[in-house]
Amino acid sequence: MKRIFIALCFSILSLACTRNAITGRNQLNLVAESDLQAMALVQYKSFLANNPVVSSSNNNAEMVRRVGQRIAASVKQYYKNKRVSNNLDNYQWEFNLVDNKDVNAWCMPGGKVVVYTGLLAVTQNETALAIVLGHEITHAVLGHGSERMSREMAAQGLGALGGIALGGSAQAVNIFNSVYGLGAQYGALLPNSRKQELEADHYGLIFAASSGYNPQMAIDFWTRMANLGNGQKPPAFMSSHPSDEERIQKIKEVMPEALRYYKTK
Ligand SMILES: [Zn+2]
């Protein structure tokens, strides 16, 4: 599979690969960011209209918004320091808590975030919530959703789609929903790759740390998440890659870097 994507990147689709401004990694990118954000907005609104959104005055909903806004501000600052603020053009952050016992959270392109109440039982505290939101927001700002969608489009032979074709394509909407685990009738969730997960852990930790949250709490949190998988259905947003051991090992490796952001705060 991997070899096919590399071949795609270096052949007829060379124009459809973009180098990520933060990670330097080449990513297959068949969907324009503006098209993706437009699609995300429609799906986000539809999701909120069809799910029980917790009142914004509720303490937990307020915490989700507070943590999310702090992480978003750190992301913005990080991108500014790297002189790539244009990568966040048109991001309009929104944070909502929905009453749902699933252990889940996601961030769509454009900054549309949802946390499920089931997740709060596992995070248990604001710092761990910051670790998760840092992770999910990183998937969005690093273009992982677009990458997953592009890979699936390539696999289904869809090729690059223009805005009009994309917006009007039920197939594209189905793929988008699979990326975010919405609309289960369309099939299985398309998981993040191991590489995407490790990138989300790495930069998510930096964003949480520069928001004033102790990144060392990530070890306890991911251990709690790993234990949750024992005998239970693993949370939808935890892919089977990397393994729990590898994830925690890699988090330990980037901890000194994250701590520098925490200490200068
Ligand atoms: Zn992830």
Side-chain angles (χ1 to χ4, degrees):
M1 238 8 207
K2 193 176 178 184
R3 202 169 291 169
I4 294 170
F5 293 124
I6 292 169
L8 280 175
C9 275
F10 288 100
S11 64
I12 47 167
L13 289 169
S14 60
L15 288 174
C17 282
T18 48
R19 191 167 177 274
N20 189 284
I22 299 297
T23 64
R25 183 166 66 79
N26 278 322
Q27 293 172 289
L28 182 63
N29 187 11
L30 301 176
V31 193
E33 181 67 18
S34 56
D35 292 337
L36 200 64
Q37 289 189 13
M39 188 181 258
L41 189 60
V42 171
Q43 297 308 315
Y44 188 71
K45 281 182 175 164
S46 157
F47 180 85
L48 293 182
N50 292 295
N51 285 274
V53 180
V54 176
S55 159
S56 60
S57 60
N58 170 281
N59 281 347
N60 283 334
E62 208 269 322
M63 174 175 70
V64 165
R65 202 167 54 241
R66 175 176 66 245
V67 173
Q69 282 167 349
R70 283 168 72 170
I71 302 275
S74 295
V75 169
K76 200 175 164 189
Q77 188 60 48
Y78 189 92
Y79 274 64
K80 194 179 170 196
N81 293 346
K82 301 275 179 196
R83 299 174 187 275
V84 289
S85 291
N86 60 320
N87 278 253
L88 301 176
D89 276 354
N90 304 316
Y91 260 69
Q92 290 185 326
W93 297 97
E94 242 184 272
F95 305 92
N96 278 291
L97 178 66
V98 296
D99 195 3
N100 184 315
K101 61 180 171 29
D102 288 352
V103 181
N104 200 10
W106 40 257
C107 174
M108 285 180 179
K112 307 302 187 203
V113 178
V114 161
V115 172
Y116 294 51
T117 47
L119 177 68
L120 300 182
V122 187
T123 53
Q124 298 175 8
N125 59 65
E126 185 165 334
T127 300
L129 177 63
I131 301 294
V132 182
L133 285 182
H135 178 99
E136 291 305 317
I137 285 171
T138 301
H139 276 313
V141 296
L142 291 185
H144 290 168
S146 162
E147 193 178 14
R148 285 155 75 194
M149 215 183 143
S150 299
R151 286 181 173 205
E152 185 60 21
M153 283 166 62
Q156 294 187 17
L158 279 180
L161 291 172
I164 295 163
L166 184 69
S169 160
Q171 202 173 355
V173 171
N174 290 352
I175 296 172
F176 180 92
N177 285 336
S178 302
V179 165
Y180 293 95
L182 308 175
Q185 68 270 31
Y186 300 124
L189 175 79
L190 297 169
N192 279 293
S193 69
R194 174 179 166 277
K195 205 165 261 177
Q196 290 171 329
E197 284 301 329
L198 295 176
E199 284 176 359
D201 282 343
H202 178 187
Y203 292 96
L205 214 55
I206 289 175
F207 300 144
S210 37
S211 303
Y213 295 104
N214 186 349
Q216 286 168 303
M217 298 285 279
I219 309 285
D220 278 354
F221 166 69
W222 286 113
T223 303
R224 280 205 296 283
M225 287 294 273
N227 292 337
L228 198 69
N230 293 341
Q232 287 185 41
K233 187 170 159 267
F237 77 108
M238 268 189 84
S239 91
S240 50
H241 301 283
S243 69
D244 300 325
E245 295 75 21
E246 185 189 19
R247 157 166 272 144
I248 287 171
Q249 181 53 40
K250 293 283 182 189
I251 286 176
K252 284 180 178 166
E253 283 172 28
V254 296
M255 192 59 73
E257 183 189 3
L259 279 170
R260 283 198 295 280
Y261 285 87
Y262 182 53
K263 283 176 180 155
T264 55
K265 185 70 190 173

